[in-house]
Amino acid sequence: MRLIQNMTTIAEYPASEYSAPNRAIKIAVIGGSGVGKTALVVRFLTKRFIGDYERNAGNLYSREVQVDGEQVTIQVQDTPGMTDNGISLPDHVTCSIQWADAVVLVYSVTDRSSFDLIDQLHQLVVRSSGPNMPPIILLANKADLLHLRRVDSQQGPILAGNLSCSFYEVSASEDYSQVHGAFHRLCCQLAKQPPPVSSSSPPTSASGVTEKRRSLLIPRPKSPNMQDLKRRFKQALSAKVRTVTSV
């Protein structure tokens, strides 16, 4: 796995021309601002914890792993933080939900407003998904900050029960096994499901009119522009060479 400049994305491995591409498992992570979504995603994919990030603009992370003996590509869409003002929810958060095979809802145990936002985010998932409701898990992050806790430890499981989803209380900074366990169980659940129908054979309605798959109407999350990155790297290298030559 490679990290591309300032952790803006983790590049996908190119598939060999002699082998079939891996199955992709797509996960969208949504939650309030400052709850640690990016830290959780990076912790899961790299085992590392980085405590300080630039404001998230909605990044796509990807890594090849084995799930139950099958080589798969896990793609995680990290969405911008949202507030409890339900008037202006970012459009691409809705697109990310529709693109994803599963959704991870995140709140911080140190931020009561992020917990109160979960029900609204769950309703957004329901509205965006239509009849194809994806699996959902609820993560309570920053469990290590006991002195700053604002959400009782019993409230998370109760909310998860009301939303009919699995619940995990984790600490991105202190315990990799908790974070990995939550995401890995979700990936195993998705791996057991039949792969999505190929776009080459879209479903047909009862009237015989071919319908486009919903996912085809969703703009795919941005992947890195490798040619642009190479160009910028060469420019920086050339500048260093000119500086040394002039000295």
PDB file of all heavy atoms in Angstrom, residues 222-243:
ATOM      1  N   LYS A 222     -13.195  10.377  -6.087  1.00  0.00           N
ATOM      2  CA  LYS A 222     -11.989  10.732  -6.816  1.00  0.00           C
ATOM      3  C   LYS A 222     -10.821   9.833  -6.451  1.00  0.00           C
ATOM      4  O   LYS A 222     -10.589   9.549  -5.283  1.00  0.00           O
ATOM      5  CB  LYS A 222     -11.616  12.185  -6.536  1.00  0.00           C
ATOM      6  CG  LYS A 222     -12.616  13.183  -7.102  1.00  0.00           C
ATOM      7  CD  LYS A 222     -12.168  14.603  -6.826  1.00  0.00           C
ATOM      8  CE  LYS A 222     -13.151  15.609  -7.410  1.00  0.00           C
ATOM      9  NZ  LYS A 222     -12.729  17.000  -7.147  1.00  0.00           N
ATOM     10  N   SER A 223     -10.086   9.380  -7.459  1.00  0.00           N
ATOM     11  CA  SER A 223      -8.861   8.624  -7.244  1.00  0.00           C
ATOM     12  C   SER A 223      -7.693   9.525  -7.613  1.00  0.00           C
ATOM     13  O   SER A 223      -7.861  10.533  -8.280  1.00  0.00           O
ATOM     14  CB  SER A 223      -8.856   7.351  -8.102  1.00  0.00           C
ATOM     15  OG  SER A 223      -9.004   7.686  -9.451  1.00  0.00           O
ATOM     16  N   PRO A 224      -6.485   9.183  -7.182  1.00  0.00           N
ATOM     17  CA  PRO A 224      -5.359  10.083  -7.407  1.00  0.00           C
ATOM     18  C   PRO A 224      -5.005  10.232  -8.875  1.00  0.00           C
ATOM     19  O   PRO A 224      -5.070   9.288  -9.644  1.00  0.00           O
ATOM     20  CB  PRO A 224      -4.216   9.402  -6.637  1.00  0.00           C
ATOM     21  CG  PRO A 224      -4.609   7.974  -6.593  1.00  0.00           C
ATOM     22  CD  PRO A 224      -6.098   7.971  -6.472  1.00  0.00           C
ATOM     23  N   ASN A 225      -4.643  11.435  -9.268  1.00  0.00           N
ATOM     24  CA  ASN A 225      -4.154  11.695 -10.622  1.00  0.00           C
ATOM     25  C   ASN A 225      -2.653  11.419 -10.622  1.00  0.00           C
ATOM     26  O   ASN A 225      -1.848  12.274 -10.291  1.00  0.00           O
ATOM     27  CB  ASN A 225      -4.434  13.147 -11.009  1.00  0.00           C
ATOM     28  CG  ASN A 225      -4.098  13.413 -12.461  1.00  0.00           C
ATOM     29  OD1 ASN A 225      -3.220  12.777 -13.036  1.00  0.00           O
ATOM     30  ND2 ASN A 225      -4.814  14.354 -13.055  1.00  0.00           N
ATOM     31  N   MET A 226      -2.279  10.209 -11.003  1.00  0.00           N
ATOM     32  CA  MET A 226      -0.890   9.789 -10.885  1.00  0.00           C
ATOM     33  C   MET A 226       0.007  10.591 -11.814  1.00  0.00           C
ATOM     34  O   MET A 226       1.156  10.906 -11.469  1.00  0.00           O
ATOM     35  CB  MET A 226      -0.772   8.294 -11.199  1.00  0.00           C
ATOM     36  CG  MET A 226      -1.555   7.402 -10.246  1.00  0.00           C
ATOM     37  SD  MET A 226      -1.102   7.694  -8.523  1.00  0.00           S
ATOM     38  CE  MET A 226       0.621   7.235  -8.538  1.00  0.00           C
ATOM     39  N   GLN A 227      -0.472  10.921 -13.016  1.00  0.00           N
ATOM     40  CA  GLN A 227       0.363  11.687 -13.939  1.00  0.00           C
ATOM     41  C   GLN A 227       0.679  13.065 -13.373  1.00  0.00           C
ATOM     42  O   GLN A 227       1.802  13.569 -13.488  1.00  0.00           O
ATOM     43  CB  GLN A 227      -0.369  11.837 -15.292  1.00  0.00           C
ATOM     44  CG  GLN A 227      -0.553  10.531 -16.051  1.00  0.00           C
ATOM     45  CD  GLN A 227       0.781   9.873 -16.373  1.00  0.00           C
ATOM     46  OE1 GLN A 227       1.764  10.560 -16.654  1.00  0.00           O
ATOM     47  NE2 GLN A 227       0.828   8.547 -16.322  1.00  0.00           N
ATOM     48  N   ASP A 228      -0.324  13.676 -12.725  1.00  0.00           N
ATOM     49  CA  ASP A 228      -0.102  14.988 -12.116  1.00  0.00           C
ATOM     50  C   ASP A 228       0.894  14.897 -10.980  1.00  0.00           C
ATOM     51  O   ASP A 228       1.764  15.758 -10.812  1.00  0.00           O
ATOM     52  CB  ASP A 228      -1.432  15.553 -11.615  1.00  0.00           C
ATOM     53  CG  ASP A 228      -1.266  16.952 -11.025  1.00  0.00           C
ATOM     54  OD1 ASP A 228      -0.809  17.843 -11.756  1.00  0.00           O
ATOM     55  OD2 ASP A 228      -1.598  17.125  -9.831  1.00  0.00           O
ATOM     56  N   LEU A 229       0.788  13.833 -10.171  1.00  0.00           N
ATOM     57  CA  LEU A 229       1.717  13.658  -9.060  1.00  0.00           C
ATOM     58  C   LEU A 229       3.147  13.456  -9.568  1.00  0.00           C
ATOM     59  O   LEU A 229       4.097  14.003  -9.000  1.00  0.00           O
ATOM     60  CB  LEU A 229       1.285  12.464  -8.204  1.00  0.00           C
ATOM     61  CG  LEU A 229       0.015  12.647  -7.375  1.00  0.00           C
ATOM     62  CD1 LEU A 229      -0.329  11.354  -6.659  1.00  0.00           C
ATOM     63  CD2 LEU A 229       0.181  13.778  -6.374  1.00  0.00           C
ATOM     64  N   LYS A 230       3.303  12.670 -10.648  1.00  0.00           N
ATOM     65  CA  LYS A 230       4.633  12.446 -11.211  1.00  0.00           C
ATOM     66  C   LYS A 230       5.220  13.759 -11.738  1.00  0.00           C
ATOM     67  O   LYS A 230       6.412  14.033 -11.570  1.00  0.00           O
ATOM     68  CB  LYS A 230       4.557  11.420 -12.335  1.00  0.00           C
ATOM     69  CG  LYS A 230       4.276   9.998 -11.857  1.00  0.00           C
ATOM     70  CD  LYS A 230       4.185   9.044 -13.026  1.00  0.00           C
ATOM     71  CE  LYS A 230       3.893   7.622 -12.550  1.00  0.00           C
ATOM     72  NZ  LYS A 230       3.750   6.687 -13.691  1.00  0.00           N
ATOM     73  N   ARG A 231       4.371  14.558 -12.401  1.00  0.00           N
ATOM     74  CA  ARG A 231       4.833  15.828 -12.935  1.00  0.00           C
ATOM     75  C   ARG A 231       5.305  16.755 -11.820  1.00  0.00           C
ATOM     76  O   ARG A 231       6.376  17.377 -11.919  1.00  0.00           O
ATOM     77  CB  ARG A 231       3.706  16.487 -13.730  1.00  0.00           C
ATOM     78  CG  ARG A 231       4.047  17.872 -14.286  1.00  0.00           C
ATOM     79  CD  ARG A 231       2.863  18.463 -15.026  1.00  0.00           C
ATOM     80  NE  ARG A 231       1.706  18.587 -14.154  1.00  0.00           N
ATOM     81  CZ  ARG A 231       1.559  19.569 -13.259  1.00  0.00           C
ATOM     82  NH1 ARG A 231       2.492  20.499 -13.123  1.00  0.00           N
ATOM     83  NH2 ARG A 231       0.484  19.624 -12.508  1.00  0.00           N
ATOM     84  N   ARG A 232       4.537  16.828 -10.741  1.00  0.00           N
ATOM     85  CA  ARG A 232       4.908  17.691  -9.629  1.00  0.00           C
ATOM     86  C   ARG A 232       6.187  17.214  -8.955  1.00  0.00           C
ATOM     87  O   ARG A 232       7.016  17.999  -8.506  1.00  0.00           O
ATOM     88  CB  ARG A 232       3.749  17.761  -8.632  1.00  0.00           C
ATOM     89  CG  ARG A 232       2.535  18.510  -9.194  1.00  0.00           C
ATOM     90  CD  ARG A 232       1.271  18.238  -8.436  1.00  0.00           C
ATOM     91  NE  ARG A 232       1.371  18.699  -7.063  1.00  0.00           N
ATOM     92  CZ  ARG A 232       0.399  18.502  -6.160  1.00  0.00           C
ATOM     93  NH1 ARG A 232      -0.707  17.875  -6.500  1.00  0.00           N
ATOM     94  NH2 ARG A 232       0.537  18.953  -4.916  1.00  0.00           N
ATOM     95  N   PHE A 233       6.353  15.876  -8.872  1.00  0.00           N
ATOM     96  CA  PHE A 233       7.567  15.329  -8.271  1.00  0.00           C
ATOM     97  C   PHE A 233       8.796  15.688  -9.101  1.00  0.00           C
ATOM     98  O   PHE A 233       9.839  16.082  -8.569  1.00  0.00           O
ATOM     99  CB  PHE A 233       7.435  13.812  -8.143  1.00  0.00           C
ATOM    100  CG  PHE A 233       8.678  13.152  -7.599  1.00  0.00           C
ATOM    101  CD1 PHE A 233       8.989  13.210  -6.251  1.00  0.00           C
ATOM    102  CD2 PHE A 233       9.536  12.472  -8.454  1.00  0.00           C
ATOM    103  CE1 PHE A 233      10.125  12.603  -5.759  1.00  0.00           C
ATOM    104  CE2 PHE A 233      10.683  11.861  -7.967  1.00  0.00           C
ATOM    105  CZ  PHE A 233      10.973  11.926  -6.615  1.00  0.00           C
ATOM    106  N   LYS A 234       8.673  15.567 -10.441  1.00  0.00           N
ATOM    107  CA  LYS A 234       9.793  15.899 -11.323  1.00  0.00           C
ATOM    108  C   LYS A 234      10.144  17.378 -11.223  1.00  0.00           C
ATOM    109  O   LYS A 234      11.322  17.757 -11.244  1.00  0.00           O
ATOM    110  CB  LYS A 234       9.443  15.533 -12.763  1.00  0.00           C
ATOM    111  CG  LYS A 234       9.403  14.032 -13.027  1.00  0.00           C
ATOM    112  CD  LYS A 234       9.047  13.743 -14.476  1.00  0.00           C
ATOM    113  CE  LYS A 234       9.014  12.233 -14.744  1.00  0.00           C
ATOM    114  NZ  LYS A 234       8.642  11.928 -16.139  1.00  0.00           N
ATOM    115  N   GLN A 235       9.116  18.240 -11.097  1.00  0.00           N
ATOM    116  CA  GLN A 235       9.368  19.667 -10.965  1.00  0.00           C
ATOM    117  C   GLN A 235      10.128  19.973  -9.683  1.00  0.00           C
ATOM    118  O   GLN A 235      11.077  20.763  -9.679  1.00  0.00           O
ATOM    119  CB  GLN A 235       8.043  20.438 -10.984  1.00  0.00           C
ATOM    120  CG  GLN A 235       7.364  20.472 -12.340  1.00  0.00           C
ATOM    121  CD  GLN A 235       6.021  21.161 -12.294  1.00  0.00           C
ATOM    122  OE1 GLN A 235       5.461  21.394 -11.218  1.00  0.00           O
ATOM    123  NE2 GLN A 235       5.478  21.493 -13.452  1.00  0.00           N
ATOM    124  N   ALA A 236       9.720  19.318  -8.579  1.00  0.00           N
ATOM    125  CA  ALA A 236      10.410  19.541  -7.314  1.00  0.00           C
ATOM    126  C   ALA A 236      11.842  19.041  -7.372  1.00  0.00           C
ATOM    127  O   ALA A 236      12.774  19.677  -6.871  1.00  0.00           O
ATOM    128  CB  ALA A 236       9.646  18.834  -6.183  1.00  0.00           C
ATOM    129  N   LEU A 237      12.058  17.882  -8.026  1.00  0.00           N
ATOM    130  CA  LEU A 237      13.398  17.313  -8.148  1.00  0.00           C
ATOM    131  C   LEU A 237      14.281  18.209  -9.009  1.00  0.00           C
ATOM    132  O   LEU A 237      15.445  18.463  -8.682  1.00  0.00           O
ATOM    133  CB  LEU A 237      13.315  15.915  -8.756  1.00  0.00           C
ATOM    134  CG  LEU A 237      14.615  15.114  -8.806  1.00  0.00           C
ATOM    135  CD1 LEU A 237      15.172  14.918  -7.403  1.00  0.00           C
ATOM    136  CD2 LEU A 237      14.386  13.775  -9.483  1.00  0.00           C
ATOM    137  N   SER A 238      13.704  18.732 -10.100  1.00  0.00           N
ATOM    138  CA  SER A 238      14.479  19.622 -10.971  1.00  0.00           C
ATOM    139  C   SER A 238      14.872  20.889 -10.266  1.00  0.00           C
ATOM    140  O   SER A 238      15.985  21.401 -10.422  1.00  0.00           O
ATOM    141  CB  SER A 238      13.634  19.971 -12.225  1.00  0.00           C
ATOM    142  OG  SER A 238      13.344  18.811 -12.956  1.00  0.00           O
ATOM    143  N   ALA A 239      13.993  21.416  -9.414  1.00  0.00           N
ATOM    144  CA  ALA A 239      14.305  22.625  -8.660  1.00  0.00           C
ATOM    145  C   ALA A 239      15.475  22.390  -7.709  1.00  0.00           C
ATOM    146  O   ALA A 239      16.355  23.244  -7.555  1.00  0.00           O
ATOM    147  CB  ALA A 239      13.067  23.080  -7.892  1.00  0.00           C
ATOM    148  N   LYS A 240      15.499  21.222  -7.071  1.00  0.00           N
ATOM    149  CA  LYS A 240      16.606  20.890  -6.171  1.00  0.00           C
ATOM    150  C   LYS A 240      17.919  20.786  -6.940  1.00  0.00           C
ATOM    151  O   LYS A 240      18.969  21.251  -6.479  1.00  0.00           O
ATOM    152  CB  LYS A 240      16.310  19.585  -5.428  1.00  0.00           C
ATOM    153  CG  LYS A 240      15.182  19.719  -4.406  1.00  0.00           C
ATOM    154  CD  LYS A 240      14.982  18.403  -3.668  1.00  0.00           C
ATOM    155  CE  LYS A 240      13.909  18.534  -2.618  1.00  0.00           C
ATOM    156  NZ  LYS A 240      13.691  17.259  -1.890  1.00  0.00           N
ATOM    157  N   VAL A 241      17.874  20.160  -8.135  1.00  0.00           N
ATOM    158  CA  VAL A 241      19.084  20.002  -8.935  1.00  0.00           C
ATOM    159  C   VAL A 241      19.628  21.359  -9.360  1.00  0.00           C
ATOM    160  O   VAL A 241      20.825  21.621  -9.309  1.00  0.00           O
ATOM    161  CB  VAL A 241      18.790  19.125 -10.164  1.00  0.00           C
ATOM    162  CG1 VAL A 241      19.986  19.127 -11.119  1.00  0.00           C
ATOM    163  CG2 VAL A 241      18.478  17.709  -9.718  1.00  0.00           C
ATOM    164  N   ARG A 242      18.733  22.273  -9.769  1.00  0.00           N
ATOM    165  CA  ARG A 242      19.166  23.607 -10.184  1.00  0.00           C
ATOM    166  C   ARG A 242      19.796  24.353  -9.024  1.00  0.00           C
ATOM    167  O   ARG A 242      20.779  25.074  -9.190  1.00  0.00           O
ATOM    168  CB  ARG A 242      17.964  24.381 -10.736  1.00  0.00           C
ATOM    169  CG  ARG A 242      17.493  23.913 -12.102  1.00  0.00           C
ATOM    170  CD  ARG A 242      16.600  24.976 -12.749  1.00  0.00           C
ATOM    171  NE  ARG A 242      15.394  25.195 -11.966  1.00  0.00           N
ATOM    172  CZ  ARG A 242      14.262  24.523 -12.109  1.00  0.00           C
ATOM    173  NH1 ARG A 242      14.195  23.568 -13.031  1.00  0.00           N
ATOM    174  NH2 ARG A 242      13.233  24.800 -11.387  1.00  0.00           N
ATOM    175  N   THR A 243      19.249  24.176  -7.827  1.00  0.00           N
ATOM    176  CA  THR A 243      19.793  24.848  -6.647  1.00  0.00           C
ATOM    177  C   THR A 243      21.204  24.363  -6.350  1.00  0.00           C
ATOM    178  O   THR A 243      22.123  25.137  -6.095  1.00  0.00           O
ATOM    179  CB  THR A 243      18.885  24.603  -5.431  1.00  0.00           C
ATOM    180  OG1 THR A 243      17.594  25.090  -5.721  1.00  0.00           O
ATOM    181  CG2 THR A 243      19.441  25.307  -4.191  1.00  0.00           C
TER     182      THR A 243
END
